[in-house]
Amino acid sequence: MAEFLQARDERKILHVDLDAFYAQVEMRDNPALKTVPLIIGRDPDQHHGHGVVATANYLARQAGVHSAMGSIEAKRACPNAVFVAPDFDKYRQISAQIHAIFAEFTDVMEPVALDEAYLDVTANPLAATTLAAKLRHRIWQETKLTCSVGVSYNKVLAKLGSEHHKPNGVTVITPAVALDFVAALPIKEFRGVGKKAQEKFEKLGIQTGADLRAMSQDDLRVHFGSFGDQLYWQARATHFGQVKDHRVRQSLGKESTFEFPLHNREQVLATFKDLATKVVANMEKKHLVGRTLNIKVRDDDYQTQTRAVTQSVPFNLDPDFLARKAQSIFDDLYPDDFAIRLLGITFSNVSPQAFQPLSLFDFEND
Ligand SMILES: [Mg+2]
């Protein structure tokens, strides 16, 4: 059954992951950092012992430093490490550049971090391996950064592939080799297997994908509930998850039109407040944030004007704040008398909330 399903899965999926992204960016921008163990995070000596490791270069990793480690512990492990505070504005800008390159290859992409995404390139007529090579070349050309790419027919295998030859590697897992690849994997490499599951597997004497595949679906259900089903299919190199395109092509907005034109600013502000409240509710429902606020105004002569304000970080989703912002734009457009037929508020440059690392406590997924 599994082999049958696998043979039928003819998708082409890439998982792209920049190598030690934050550290690589800082080394690119300051080559002196290339030859020292580098930790992206606050130096504990300058911050009263506070701070955590966001990521580290490979020299620091060799000394035992890893993401999410306390800075003090990291310094103990690697006393000569250089600490550099993360610059998320810079990383976000580069991330936008990289995502623009992804868009050259496919319309179907699922970003999972600033530096990491799944791309479904099934619709692209070129071979997946050719696309992986071109993609890596384009990223290097544009950003002088390296990435690792996994190429396969489903997301789980593509992700396993990108992790397989890090840094700066490509791993292709074709249907012909997938079952062997999975059989050789240590159990902790399977998706969703954390400490608890690892302990269970240890007691059961299950160490590899081959051991896992030998377990019946019923046994897996007994021990792991519904997660057992996922493991059953993972052991058979089968995964049905689609690349979910989170990008929001259409912007998110609301408009109001008026049969009788508005003439006073209180009415305009009240309308903006109403529109902002609706837009915010919609954004929150969809777990989205936006960096560009667009205001649209049409007057009694059917002249339409739009203005956009873009920030480097997403707007605070506070209707009062947004309404006042809209109002100040409106006031600039219409300093004197006015007769308004339409008002609109729209967000663009929209992204999922989870895709916004804003603090030191956001770690890179390496
Ligand atoms: Mg990475």
Side-chain angles (χ1 to χ4, degrees), residues 15-22 55 58 61 113 115-116 148 166 364-366:
H15 181 261
V16 188
D17 188 4
L18 277 283
D19 304 315
F21 181 49
Y22 307 157
T55 195
Y58 287 90
R61 288 175 195 209
D115 71 317
E116 190 185 330
S148 296
K166 253 177 186 309
E364 206 202 335
N365 225 336
D366 298 323

Side-chain angles (χ1 to χ4, degrees), residues 96-245:
Q97 263 182 299
I98 293 165
H99 284 110
I101 296 170
F102 293 162
E104 297 170 10
F105 291 80
T106 180
D107 287 334
V108 187
M109 77 169 88
E110 179 181 341
V112 285
L114 283 180
D115 71 317
E116 190 185 330
Y118 292 100
L119 276 59
D120 186 330
V121 294
T122 309
N124 194 312
L126 293 176
T129 45
T130 307
L131 292 170
K134 280 179 178 282
L135 179 66
R136 279 159 44 78
H137 178 69
R138 284 285 294 127
I139 290 176
W140 174 257
Q141 222 180 13
E142 288 273 320
T143 68
K144 293 288 176 276
L145 296 170
T146 65
C147 61
S148 296
V149 180
V151 182
S152 197
Y153 57 88
N154 71 42
K155 284 167 71 180
V156 168
L157 292 174
K159 166 96 173 157
L160 287 168
S162 76
E163 286 163 0
H164 196 61
H165 278 140
K166 253 177 186 309
N168 202 11
V170 177
T171 301
V172 184
I173 304 175
T174 62
V177 302
L179 286 171
D180 288 342
F181 183 89
V182 169
L185 281 182
I187 198 73
K188 67 171 172 31
E189 301 288 320
F190 283 82
R191 182 182 275 204
V193 174
K195 275 220 172 79
K196 262 190 175 170
Q198 273 185 61
E199 283 167 18
K200 268 192 186 177
F201 276 124
E202 204 164 313
K203 282 189 193 135
L204 293 164
I206 303 292
Q207 292 177 341
T208 66
D211 299 339
L212 182 65
R213 200 181 299 157
M215 284 183 80
S216 73
Q217 194 163 10
D218 283 345
D219 271 355
L220 282 166
R221 278 185 190 146
V222 167
H223 291 288
F224 299 98
S226 60
F227 178 48
D229 284 339
Q230 290 180 42
L231 288 167
Y232 178 85
W233 289 111
Q234 277 193 58
R236 283 152 185 80
T238 302
H239 178 72
F240 305 107
Q242 300 291 314
V243 174
K244 293 185 207 91
D245 197 337

